[in-house]
C-alpha cells in the first residue's frame, strides 16, 4: 500500500508533465525512496494512479538498475560500478573487499538488513574510477582502505 | 530532398530506377521494385521500431548499413539490397538471434511456418559459433490466458506482440521486461492476462513464442486442410481460414493479404471455430418431430410431406417465415422467394429483436441502398464520429481498424455512447449520453449547427421541428453537458470530411433515426463530405436486407405490393391464435425477442412451428418439427458484411449425419410444394441474385480480389421510410428500480451461436452484469462479487464487472446468456428496462 504521503507526492508530479504516464519514473522513485524497493502491489498502485497497465511500470523498473523491483534492499544499498573503466582500475578487487568485510556476496543483504551489495553498469563517473554509489551518494577514487573506512563510518 | 511540386521521389534500388511517393520507406519502395527484403519486426500496421536489423540495406555514400523499415527514401538514393555486406549482415543478425534461441523446433508448434526457420533456411549461416550458455527465461512454458501459452526462450525480441497489443487491440497488457539479451516480452510479472484474448499476439509472433493453447501439439501446418471463409460472429465480416485435421477443425487463422482485415481477428473469430466440432448431443443430426411432447427422429421424406400438408392448407395471411441474418445471401434470397412465391405470404423478417419499420428507417438513414462503403475509405475522413453502439465489444475488429488507422494518422475520433468503451482512449472527445436519447443528442448537434449557419440550413424544412427547443434543454435531455455537446459540434463543423460509424443502439432503442437523418442532411448542406458506416452484429444482416428478407421491401429494396408482418407482428398475431404456421430458420426467437415470456407464449400458440437450426435452441424446443441445418463452415455461399462487402465462403466439412445445408433444405421445402421451385447450387442462385438485385449485378461469386467486392448503389429508391414516428423513450424516475438496463453482445460472444463454443465459454465462465464505479461504491460491491439483479418480473444473480467511466445509472447485461437471458427483463414494448441491484 502506498502511503498517503507518497500518493500526494505523485499527484504533485502530474503538474510537471504533459501526460500522467510521463511521471512514471519520478513516481517510482518517490515510492522507492520511502519503501526502499518496489513491490508488485506498489507497481499496481502506481499504474492505477498513472492510468496505465502495470506492465508499463514494470518495463521501466526492469530497464533501469536504479529501481529495485521486487527486491528488498538494506538500509544502505551499495552499487559498485563494474563497467570497463572501473574494472580496469580494480573494481573487482573493490567488490571482493566489500564481500569479505560484510560477509555477503553480490546480490545479498546482511542479516541485520543494513547493507545490500550490487554491481551495476556505468554510473558516468569514469574519470574518478573505480567508484560506487551508496544510496544517493557517489564515492570515488576508491582504494581498499577508503572502502573499509566508508563502510565502517556508516551508522 | 523530395520533389516538393509533385510529392514524388525517384531513386534506384539494385540499379533499377523507381519513383515513389515522398515519405515512402526504403523497404516498401524496394518491395515495389520487386526486391524482397527480409524482416522480423516490421509490420505494415504497426509503428516502426527498426530493432531486428534483418532489413539492413546499403546506401551509396553512407558508411553504415541502414534499417530500411524505418528509413524514408530520398531523391537520388542508390540502394543495394543484395550486396556482399548486406548478405553478411543478415547472416550475422541471424547468428545472433539463434545464439539465444531455444532451437527446439521438433516440439515447437510453429515448426513449418516459422519465420525464423524460413529466414535461416534462406539467408542464414549454416553454423553458429556461439558456444556459451544460452539465456533461459524459464524451463516450462507458461499459460497466459485460456487461449494463450507462452515460451519466451524462442523470442527474437521483435516487439510485434507488444506493439499490436497497444496499437491495434488497444489493451497494452504486454511489455518488454529487462534489457538486451535478457529482455522478455510478457505480461505483468507473467500473470494471467485480463485482456481481449483475441490472440493478436499469437498471430503476429514470427516464432513459437506466443501460441494458441487449444491448438497445442495438435498438428503440423502441412497436416492441415483449410478453407477460406468469413467469421460468422459479427458483421465486420473478417476473412479467415479454418483448418482441419482428421475431420476436426483445429484452428482459424487470418493471414496478411488474404482479406481486408489482414491478420486481425477477435477472440470469437480466432477461437470460436470449435462450434464446428460440437457434435454429440448438442448437434442436430436428423429431423425431429414432436409426439406427445417428446421429439422423435423422422425421415426427411416424412418431414417434408408434413410441411407440405401444413403449409398448403394454411391461409397465407396466417403463415410466415423468419430467417436468421447469419444465413448466406443465397439461402436468404431463396427463403424470401419461398415465403413470398410459394407460400404466398408477405410475413417475413430477418431479426426478432428489432421492429420492421425501425430497421427500414435505419436502412434509409444510413444510406445502405447507396452502395458499399469501405471502412478504410471511412477512415480517410478528417473526423470519425462513433455513435450508437459499443463498437469495441460488439465489433472488435472494427474497433481495431479505427484505432490503428486513427492513431497512426492523427485523426480525430469522437465517441458518443451509453457506456465507457476501449475506444475512448483513442478519442479526442468521448461523451456519455443516456440510453434512448440519441435523438436529443443528434437534434442538439443540428440545432447548434443551425445557430451558427442559419442561412445555409434554412432549406432543410425538418429543422422546423426544433424551433422552440434550445441546445441547453436538448443537452440536458440526453444527459450530456452543453459544453461537451458544443465541443463535439465544433469538431464536426471544423472538419471538411466526416465519417459516422453508427451502431445498433438506434435499432434497440427505436429512436434517434430521424435525428441521424437530420444531422446528415445538415452536414451535407454545410458542404461536408459525409460517409456513414453502419455497424451491425449479425454476420449477414446487410445481406438479409439486400435480399429482401423484410416485410416492407423485397430484394433490392423493391417496394412490396402489400406490406407483410415482421417478427413482432407475427408474434402478435400468433398471440391471437391467428398464425397457422411459422417457419423459423436459424433464429433463436425465444432468447432474442425483447420479452421472452411473450415470445414463448406466442410461439406456443402457433398452429405448426417448424424450426431449422444446428442445435436444439430454446426456440427449437417449442417446435412441432425440427430440421437439422448447417454451420457456415459446412456450406458454400456469400456473406455481405456491414460495409456492403460481398465475400465468398467455402465448405470445409460435411454436415454431420442427416443434417443438410440450409440452402438445400429451403429448396426441398419449396420444391415439395411447388414442383421445380429451385434446384440450384449456391453459384446458380447467386447468378439469379445478380439478375434480380441491381446492387449485386457485377459481383463475383468467388475468386476476384481477396478484399471481396463492394455492392453498388441500388437502382431503386427505398420508399416509405422517409418519415417515421419515434416514441420518446421513457426514463422517468423509478426509485424502486434505479438503474437503466442496456443490452448488447458480450465481447467474446455473438448471439446464441457462440455459446456452443467450448473455448469461448472458457473465456466467459459466468453471466456478468457490468456496473459503473459509482454504482459499485453505492452498493459496496467489488469486481467478481455476485449480486442479484431484479427487474419488473425477473431476477437473477450475476457476477459484477466494474466499468470505469460508465455513468452511474447505466448497467449492462449481454444478450448472450440463455439461462439468464437479458430479454427476460423486458416487457413487450420496453426499450430501456429498469432494474434494481442488491449485493
Amino acid at each position: 500500500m502506498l502511503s498517503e504521503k507518497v500518493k500526494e507526492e505523485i499527484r504533485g508530479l502530474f503538474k510537471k508533465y504533459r501526460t500522467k504516464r510521463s511521471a512514471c519514473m519520478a513516481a517510482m522513485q518517490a515510492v522507492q525512496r520511502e519503501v526502499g524497493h518496489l513491490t508488485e502491489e506498489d507497481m499496481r498502485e502506481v499504474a492505477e494512479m498513472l492510468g496505465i497497465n502495470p506492465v508499463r511500470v514494470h518495463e521501466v523498473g526492469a530497464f533501469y538498475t536504479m529501481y529495485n523491483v521486487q527486491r528488498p534492499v538494506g538500509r544502505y544499498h551499495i552499487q559498485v560500478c563494474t563497467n570497463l573503466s572501473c574494472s580496469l582500475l580494480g573494481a573487482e578487487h573493490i567488490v571482493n573487499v566489500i564481500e569479505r568485510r560484510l560477509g555477503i556476496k553480490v546480490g545479498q543483504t546482511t542479516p541485520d538488513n543494513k547493507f545490500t551489495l550490487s554491481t551495476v553498469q556505468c554510473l558516468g563517473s569514469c574519470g574518478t574510477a573505480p567508484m560506487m554509489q551508496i544510496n544517493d551518494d557517489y564515492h570515488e577514487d576508491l582504494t581498499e582502505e577508503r572502502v573499509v573506512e566508508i563502510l565502517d563510518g556508516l551508522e | 530532398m523530395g520533389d516538393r511540386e509533385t510529392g514524388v521521389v525517384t531513386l534506384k534500388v539494385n540499379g533499377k530506377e523507381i519513383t515513389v511517393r515522398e515519405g515512402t520507406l526504403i523497404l516498401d519502395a524496394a518491395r515495389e521494385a520487386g526486391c524482397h527484403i527480409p524482416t522480423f519486426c516490421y509490420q505494415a500496421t504497426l509503428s516502426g521500431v527498426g530493432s531486428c536489423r534483418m532489413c539492413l540495406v546499403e546506401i551509396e555514400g553512407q558508411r553504415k548499413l541502414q534499417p530500411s523499415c524505418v528509413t524514408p527514401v530520398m531523391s537520388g538514393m542508390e540502394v543495394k539490397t543484395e550486396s556482399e555486406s548486406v548478405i553478411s549482415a543478415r547472416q550475422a543478425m541471424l547468428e545472433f538471434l539463434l545464439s539465444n534461441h531455444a532451437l527446439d523446433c521438433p516440439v515447437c508448434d510453429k515448426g513449418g511456418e516459422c519465420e525464423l526457420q524460413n529466414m535461416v533456411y534462406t539467408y542464414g549461416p549454416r553454423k553458429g559459433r556461439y558456444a556459451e550458455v544460452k539465456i533461459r527465461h524459464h524451463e516450462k512454458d507458461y499459460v497466459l490466458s485460456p487461449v494463450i501459452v507462452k515460451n519466451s526462450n524462442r523470442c527474437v525480441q521483435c516487439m510485434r506482440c507488444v506493439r499490436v497489443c497497444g496499437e491495434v487491440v488497444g489493451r497494452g497488457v504486454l511489455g518488454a521486461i529487462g534489457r538486451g539479451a535478457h529482455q522478455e516480452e510478457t505480461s505483468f510479472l507473467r500473470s494471467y492476462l485480463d485482456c481481449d484474448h483475441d490472440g493478436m499476439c499469437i498471430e503476429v509472433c514470427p516464432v513459437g513464442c506466443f501460441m494458441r493453447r487449444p491448438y497445442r501439439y495438435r498438428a503440423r501446418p502441412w497436416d492441415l486442410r483449410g478453407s477460406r471463409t468469413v467469421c460468422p460472429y459479427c458483421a465486420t465480416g473478417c476473412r479467415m481460414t479454418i483448418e482441419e485435421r482428421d475431420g476436426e477443425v483445429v484452428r482459424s487463422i487470418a493471414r496478411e493479404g488474404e482479406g481486408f482485415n489482414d491478420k486481425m481477428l477477435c477472440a470469437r473469430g480466432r477461437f470460436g471455430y470449435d462450434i464446428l466440432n460440437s457434435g454429440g448431443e448438442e448437434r442436430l443430426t436428423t429431423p425431429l418431430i414432436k409426439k406427445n411432447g417428446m421429439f422423435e427422429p423422422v425421415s426427411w421424406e416424412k418431414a417434408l410431406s408434413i410441411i407440405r400438408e401444413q403449409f398448403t392448407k394454411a391461409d397465407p395471411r396466417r403463415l410466415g417465415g423468419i430467417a436468421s441474418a447469419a444465413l448466406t445471401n443465397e439461402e436468404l434470397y431463396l427463403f424470401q422467394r419461398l415465403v413470398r412465391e410459394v407460400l404466398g405470404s408477405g410475413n417475413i423478417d430477418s431479426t426478432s429483436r428489432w421492429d420492421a419499420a425501425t430497421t427500414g428507417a435505419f436502412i434509409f438513414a444510413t444510406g445502405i441502398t447507396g452502395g458499399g462503403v469501405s471502412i478504410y475509405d471511412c477512415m480517410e475522413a478528417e473526423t470519425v464520429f462513433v455513435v450508437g453502439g459499443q463498437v469495441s465489444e460488439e465489433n472488435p475488429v472494427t474497433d481495431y481498424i479505427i484505432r490503428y488507422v486513427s492513431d497512426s494518422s492523427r485523426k480525430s475520433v469522437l465517441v458518443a455512447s451509453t457506456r465507457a468503451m476501449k475506444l475512448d482512449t483513442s478519442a479526442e472527445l468521448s461523451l456519455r449520453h443516456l440510453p434512448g436519447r440519441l435523438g436529443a443528442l443528434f437534434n442538439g448537434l443540428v440545432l447548434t449547427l443551425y445557430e451558427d449557419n442559419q442561412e445555409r440550413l434554412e432549406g432543410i424544412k425538418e429543422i422546423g421541428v426544433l424551433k422552440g427547443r434550445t441546445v441547453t434543454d436538448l443537452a440536458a435531455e440526453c444527459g450530456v453537458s452543453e459544453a461537451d455537446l458544443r465541443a463535439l459540434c465544433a469538431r464536426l463543423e471544423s472538419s471538411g470530411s466526416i465519417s459516422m460509424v453508427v451502431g445498433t443502439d438506434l435499432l434497440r432503442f427505436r429512436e434517434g433515426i430521424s435525428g441521424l437523418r437530420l444531422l446528415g442532411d445538415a452536414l451535407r448542406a454545410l458542404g461536408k463530405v459525409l460517409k456513414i458506416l453502419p455497424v451491425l452484429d449479425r454476420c449477414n444482416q446487410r445481406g438479409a436486407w439486400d435480399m429482401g428478407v423484410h416485410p416492407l421491401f423485397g430484394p433490392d429494396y423493391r417496394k412490396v405490393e402489400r406490406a407483410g408482418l415482421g417478427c413482432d407482428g407475427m408474434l402478435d398475431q400468433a398471440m391471437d391464435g391467428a398464425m397457422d404456421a411459422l417457419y423459423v430458420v436459424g433464429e433463436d426467437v425465444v432468447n432474442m425477442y425483447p420479452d421472452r415470456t411473450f415470445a414463448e407464449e406466442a410461439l406456443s400458440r402457433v398452429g405448426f412451428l417448424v424450426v431449422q437450426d444446428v442445435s436444439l435452441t430454446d426456440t427449437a424446443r417449442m417446435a412441432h418439427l425440427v430440421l437439422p441445418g448447417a454451420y457456415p463452415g459446412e456450406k458454400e455461399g456469400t456473406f455481405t458484411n456491414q460495409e456492403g462487402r460481398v465475400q465468398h465462403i467455402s465448405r470445409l466439412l460435411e454436415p454431420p449425419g442427416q443434417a443438410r445445408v440450409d440452402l438445400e433444405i429451403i429448396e426441398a421445402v419449396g420444391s415439395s410444394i411447388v414442383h421445380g421451385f429451385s434446384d440450384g447450387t449456391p453459384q446458380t442462385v447467386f447468378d439469379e441474385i445478380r439478375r434480380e438485385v441491381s446492387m449485386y449485378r457485377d459481383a463475383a461469386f468467388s475468386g476476384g480480389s481477396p478484399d471481396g467486392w463492394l455492392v453498388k448503389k441500388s437502382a431503386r429508391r427505398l420508399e416509405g421510410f422517409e418519415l417515421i414516428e419515434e416514441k420518446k423513450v421513457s426514463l422517468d424516475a423509478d426509485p424502486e428500480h434505479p438503474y437503466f438496463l442496456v443490452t448488447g453482445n458480450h465481447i467474446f460472444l455473438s448471439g446464441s451461436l457462440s455459446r456452443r463454443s467450448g473455448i469461448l465459454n472458457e473465456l466467459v465462465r459466468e453471466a456478468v452484469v457490468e456496473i459503473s464505479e459509482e454504482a459499485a461504491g453505492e452498493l459496496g460491491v467489488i469486481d467478481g462479487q455476485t449480486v442479484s439483479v431484479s427487474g419488473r418480473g425477473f431476477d437473477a444473480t450475476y457476477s459484477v464487472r466494474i466499468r470505469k467511466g460508465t455513468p452511474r445509472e447505466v448497467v449492462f447485461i449481454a444478450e448472450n446468456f440463455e439461462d439468464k437471458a437479458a430479454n427476460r427483463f423486458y416487457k413487450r414494448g420496453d426499450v430501456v428496462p429498469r432494474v434494481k441491484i442488491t449485493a
Side-chain angles (χ1 to χ4, degrees):
Chain A
M1 270 288 278
L2 298 183
S3 72
E4 208 35 62
K5 184 169 150 271
V6 168
K7 281 187 190 164
E8 197 47 54
E9 193 179 339
I10 294 174
R11 278 190 284 268
L13 289 168
F14 294 157
K15 295 188 204 85
K16 292 192 188 171
Y17 302 92
R18 205 167 58 81
T19 59
K20 276 188 183 180
R21 60 184 301 158
S22 303
C24 188
M25 291 188 68
M28 290 166 77
Q29 240 156 350
V31 177
Q32 189 163 296
R33 234 188 333 269
E34 188 174 84
V35 191
H37 68 285
L38 291 153
T39 63
E40 174 179 347
E41 194 52 41
D42 291 341
M43 287 193 284
R44 281 190 197 279
E45 284 188 53
V46 168
E48 172 78 25
M49 289 186 77
L50 268 48
I52 53 179
N53 190 281
V55 78
R56 297 274 93 80
V57 177
H58 189 198
E59 268 182 327
V60 174
F63 186 85
Y64 296 103
T65 48
M66 65 188 178
Y67 296 114
N68 305 315
V69 174
Q70 291 191 302
R71 187 167 73 103
V73 292
R75 274 189 293 128
Y76 296 102
H77 185 197
I78 307 165
Q79 302 177 72
V80 185
C81 173
T82 53
N83 211 302
L84 192 61
S85 308
C86 289
S87 286
L88 287 172
L89 290 163
E92 265 142 54
H93 177 61
I94 302 291
V95 171
N96 287 337
V97 168
I98 302 173
E99 283 183 342
R100 270 203 311 273
R101 188 82 195 166
L102 302 179
I104 53 173
K105 292 281 175 201
V106 171
Q108 293 179 339
T109 301
T110 53
D112 61 357
N113 216 23
K114 188 172 175 185
F115 295 103
T116 298
L117 176 61
S118 308
T119 55
V120 295
Q121 297 302 324
C122 185
L123 291 171
S125 193
C126 312
T128 56
M131 63 81 66
M132 66 179 173
Q133 181 181 347
I134 301 183
N135 293 348
D136 289 340
D137 301 319
Y138 272 21
H139 299 272
E140 298 157 311
D141 295 314
L142 298 177
T143 57
E144 183 167 345
E145 296 72 34
R146 183 81 192 103
V147 168
V148 171
E149 192 184 319
I150 295 166
L151 292 182
D152 290 353
L154 292 170
E155 282 302 308
Chain B
M1 288 294 108
D3 185 336
R4 293 240 174 266
E5 294 290 298
T6 55
V8 296
V9 173
T10 302
L11 72 155
K12 272 188 186 166
V13 180
N14 294 342
K16 186 179 169 190
E17 197 169 276
I18 56 159
T19 303
V20 293
R21 262 179 38 202
E22 204 177 352
T24 305
L25 299 169
I26 295 177
L27 179 84
D28 296 324
R31 283 183 182 177
E32 221 169 284
C35 309
H36 180 77
I37 298 176
T39 55
F40 277 120
C41 70
Y42 176 79
Q43 287 274 282
T45 56
L46 303 177
S47 60
V49 287
S51 66
C52 78
R53 305 272 138 180
M54 274 308 290
C55 70
L56 291 175
V57 292
E58 190 175 334
I59 300 169
E60 197 67 44
Q62 296 198 20
R63 271 196 310 158
K64 284 166 73 180
L65 300 180
Q66 299 296 324
S68 63
C69 76
V70 288
T71 315
V73 292
M74 285 203 285
S75 185
M77 239 180 197
E78 285 189 37
V79 178
K80 288 180 190 156
T81 69
E82 300 295 333
S83 70
E84 214 168 287
S85 61
V86 171
I87 290 168
S88 91
R90 276 178 200 157
Q91 286 193 351
M93 285 323 300
L94 286 166
E95 194 179 348
F96 261 125
L97 289 177
L98 290 178
S99 66
N100 270 315
H101 183 75
L103 277 179
D104 55 350
C105 306
V107 294
C108 176
D109 275 339
K110 197 77 176 181
E113 54 183 3
C114 171
E115 293 179 37
L116 182 61
Q117 247 180 7
N118 295 346
M119 210 81 93
V120 173
Y121 273 115
T122 318
Y123 304 102
R126 296 295 168 187
K127 56 179 183 224
R129 288 164 290 171
Y130 184 80
E132 286 75 10
V133 178
K134 293 191 184 217
I135 293 167
R136 283 187 72 79
H137 296 282
H138 51 79
E139 285 312 310
K140 285 185 109 173
D141 297 0
Y142 58 94
V143 171
L144 278 181
S145 116
V147 290
I148 305 168
V149 58
K150 181 81 170 58
N151 182 327
S152 298
N153 299 325
R154 299 169 183 158
C155 182
V156 292
Q157 303 177 340
C158 67
M159 297 281 281
R160 284 188 195 172
C161 51
V162 175
R163 285 177 291 154
V164 85
C165 186
E167 296 169 16
V168 177
V169 182
R171 279 291 184 183
V173 294
L174 297 177
I177 307 303
R179 48 163 132 175
H182 295 272
Q183 179 183 307
E184 179 187 11
E185 276 107 322
T186 186
S187 62
F188 180 56
L189 301 172
R190 294 184 187 162
S191 58
Y192 216 56
L193 287 168
D194 174 17
C195 69
D196 289 5
H197 301 291
D198 52 24
M200 281 302 294
C201 45
I202 302 170
E203 207 71 275
V204 296
C205 184
V207 293
C209 191
F210 283 89
M211 294 167 287
R212 292 172 156 78
R213 198 168 164 209
Y215 172 70
R216 211 134 189 258
Y217 306 140
R218 298 297 290 277
R220 286 297 190 191
W222 56 83
D223 294 327
L224 299 172
R225 192 174 63 93
S227 115
R228 291 182 69 199
T229 185
V230 169
C231 174
Y233 291 127
C234 82
T236 301
C238 295
R239 259 256 170 261
M240 60 186 202
T241 300
I242 45 174
E243 297 176 328
E244 60 94 19
R245 184 187 182 185
D246 302 333
E248 190 186 352
V249 180
V250 290
R251 71 172 178 182
S252 71
I253 185 166
R255 296 190 174 97
E256 205 168 339
E258 290 194 357
F260 74 97
N261 52 301
D262 281 331
K263 290 182 179 174
M264 286 177 281
L265 284 180
C266 70
R268 302 173 199 161
R270 194 163 279 121
F271 299 109
Y273 58 81
D274 63 330
I275 53 168
L276 284 160
N277 301 329
S278 65
E281 55 210 83
E282 290 260 319
R283 187 68 195 264
L284 289 168
T285 52
T286 164
L288 299 171
I289 189 158
K290 197 178 267 169
K291 282 196 179 145
N292 306 322
M294 300 289 280
F295 282 118
E296 284 177 14
V298 64
S299 72
W300 273 105
E301 291 74 31
K302 181 82 179 137
L304 289 169
S305 80
I306 295 169
I307 291 176
R308 182 179 59 230
E309 188 194 324
Q310 294 287 344
F311 281 7
T312 45
K313 78 173 189 203
D315 176 348
R317 280 167 303 181
R318 295 161 70 98
L319 267 174
I322 299 169
S324 154
L327 297 179
T328 65
N329 285 324
E330 295 71 25
E331 289 160 350
L332 290 160
Y333 176 79
L334 272 195
F335 184 77
Q336 65 84 33
R337 265 193 60 200
L338 170 76
V339 172
R340 292 198 165 107
E341 292 170 22
V342 177
L343 307 180
S345 171
N347 305 331
I348 182 167
D349 213 338
S350 64
T351 175
S352 47
R353 294 175 295 164
W354 308 324
D355 91 306
T358 312
T359 50
F362 179 84
I363 292 163
F364 189 84
T366 51
I368 283 181
T369 54
V373 178
S374 141
I375 185 169
Y376 294 104
D377 285 344
C378 284
M379 294 308 296
E380 292 281 311
E382 282 169 52
T383 296
V384 180
F385 181 22
V386 181
V387 62
Q390 201 71 2
V391 179
S392 302
E393 278 137 65
E394 299 221 73
N395 298 53
V397 174
T398 303
D399 162 278
Y400 298 170
I401 296 174
I402 296 174
R403 173 173 304 97
Y404 95 77
V405 178
S406 66
D407 286 359
S408 58
S409 56
R410 298 186 198 287
K411 266 184 211 318
S412 158
V413 174
L414 309 171
V415 174
S417 64
T418 55
R419 299 187 284 140
M421 68 170 141
K422 204 174 61 181
L423 206 52
D424 288 343
T425 52
S426 294
E428 185 180 307
L429 181 66
S430 172
L431 45 87
R432 301 282 97 85
H433 62 82
L434 287 167
R437 286 284 183 271
L438 270 170
L441 177 75
F442 290 137
N443 287 338
L445 291 169
V446 173
L447 198 58
T448 315
L449 288 172
Y450 182 69
E451 283 178 0
D452 299 346
N453 309 278
Q454 265 191 33
E455 270 172 35
R456 296 174 72 184
L457 299 181
E458 212 58 75
I460 305 173
K461 61 178 191 302
E462 288 91 345
I463 289 186
V465 301
L466 299 177
K467 297 259 162 74
R469 302 299 305 268
T470 62
V471 177
T472 316
D473 67 44
L474 285 167
E477 196 179 317
C478 61
V480 171
S481 81
E482 188 181 338
D484 279 352
L485 187 86
R486 286 187 187 277
L488 182 70
C489 193
R491 196 71 204 87
L492 294 175
E493 222 177 321
S494 66
S495 311
S497 53
I498 298 161
S499 291
M500 289 179 69
V501 178
V502 182
T504 47
D505 277 1
L506 287 91
L507 295 167
R508 282 202 181 87
F509 299 132
R510 301 177 201 178
E511 65 91 41
I513 299 172
S514 307
L516 173 68
R517 275 196 50 218
L518 194 53
L519 179 62
D521 289 347
L523 291 171
R524 284 192 200 96
L526 292 174
K528 314 288 184 202
V529 179
L530 181 68
K531 288 201 174 78
I532 299 181
L533 176 73
V535 177
L536 305 168
D537 55 358
R538 296 290 185 264
C539 63
N540 201 24
Q541 184 63 67
R542 189 157 171 168
W545 290 332
D546 291 348
M547 296 306 122
V549 182
H550 195 281
L552 307 178
F553 54 78
D556 207 21
Y557 303 97
R558 189 179 301 154
K559 201 173 158 88
V560 287
E561 280 165 24
R562 207 170 55 86
L565 298 171
C567 177
D568 187 56
M570 287 186 257
L571 293 181
D572 206 23
Q573 193 170 307
M575 212 57 178
D576 295 338
M579 277 306 271
D580 291 343
L582 183 62
Y583 183 18
V584 179
V585 183
E587 178 73 11
D588 190 358
V589 182
V590 170
N591 276 304
M592 291 299 153
Y593 182 82
D595 185 344
R596 186 187 170 107
T597 321
F598 178 83
E600 280 175 329
E601 185 58 40
L603 289 177
S604 72
R605 296 185 191 186
V606 171
F608 178 65
L609 178 64
V610 184
V611 175
Q612 176 176 322
D613 215 316
V614 285
S615 64
L616 212 52
T617 61
D618 288 335
T619 307
R621 280 177 219 283
M622 303 192 63
H624 300 97
L625 187 67
V626 177
L627 304 176
Y631 279 118
E634 297 163 348
K635 56 191 175 192
E636 194 188 10
T638 60
F639 282 149
T640 306
N641 79 353
Q642 61 196 16
E643 308 163 83
R645 197 187 289 278
V646 183
Q647 301 183 107
H648 178 256
I649 60 165
S650 53
R651 189 174 189 164
L652 180 67
L653 302 171
E654 293 292 318
Q658 291 185 51
R660 287 168 72 177
V661 174
D662 298 274
L663 187 82
E664 293 166 16
I665 305 176
I666 296 166
E667 285 182 336
V669 168
S671 303
S672 76
I673 300 168
V674 171
H675 183 68
F677 166 65
S678 170
D679 59 356
T681 60
Q683 167 83 62
T684 60
V685 177
F686 189 76
D687 290 340
E688 195 177 327
I689 293 171
R690 286 175 45 192
R691 287 193 298 274
E692 291 297 317
V693 184
S694 64
M695 306 169 83
Y696 289 67
R697 192 152 294 158
D698 307 320
F701 178 63
S702 61
S705 157
D707 290 349
W709 187 87
L710 287 176
V711 297
K712 296 287 182 284
K713 187 177 190 314
S714 171
R716 290 188 176 76
R717 243 181 77 81
L718 179 64
E719 290 170 44
F721 299 103
E722 293 81 359
L723 276 177
I724 58 149
E725 261 178 64
E726 289 179 5
K727 265 191 250 161
K728 189 170 168 183
V729 177
S730 160
L731 295 179
D732 298 338
D734 176 356
E736 280 291 298
H737 301 92
Y739 300 105
F740 299 129
L741 176 66
V742 175
T743 65
N745 284 294
H746 190 281
I747 184 166
F748 302 135
L749 303 170
S750 161
S752 47
L753 187 65
S754 55
R755 287 300 277 172
R756 284 161 223 144
S757 158
I759 304 176
L760 292 180
N761 282 338
E762 262 200 50
L763 295 175
V764 222
R765 287 175 184 272
E766 49 189 355
V768 168
V769 59
E770 197 182 282
I771 64 174
S772 66
E773 223 178 4
E774 289 81 359
E778 282 169 13
L779 299 161
V781 296
I782 54 162
D783 244 1
Q785 194 170 330
T786 304
V787 294
S788 126
V789 180
S790 48
R792 302 166 188 156
F794 178 67
D795 60 285
T797 56
Y798 294 86
S799 170
V800 163
R801 181 92 183 190
I802 298 170
R803 174 70 70 110
K804 236 181 175 177
T806 287
R808 191 195 65 85
E809 61 273 27
V810 174
V811 305
F812 170 80
I813 296 174
E815 290 165 358
N816 321 88
F817 309 109
E818 291 93 345
D819 51 336
K820 294 174 181 179
N823 68 345
R824 291 177 193 260
F825 288 104
Y826 287 77
K827 285 268 162 275
R828 191 163 179 250
D830 271 357
V831 174
V832 182
R834 305 307 184 73
V835 294
K836 169 172 87 174
I837 300 177
T838 32

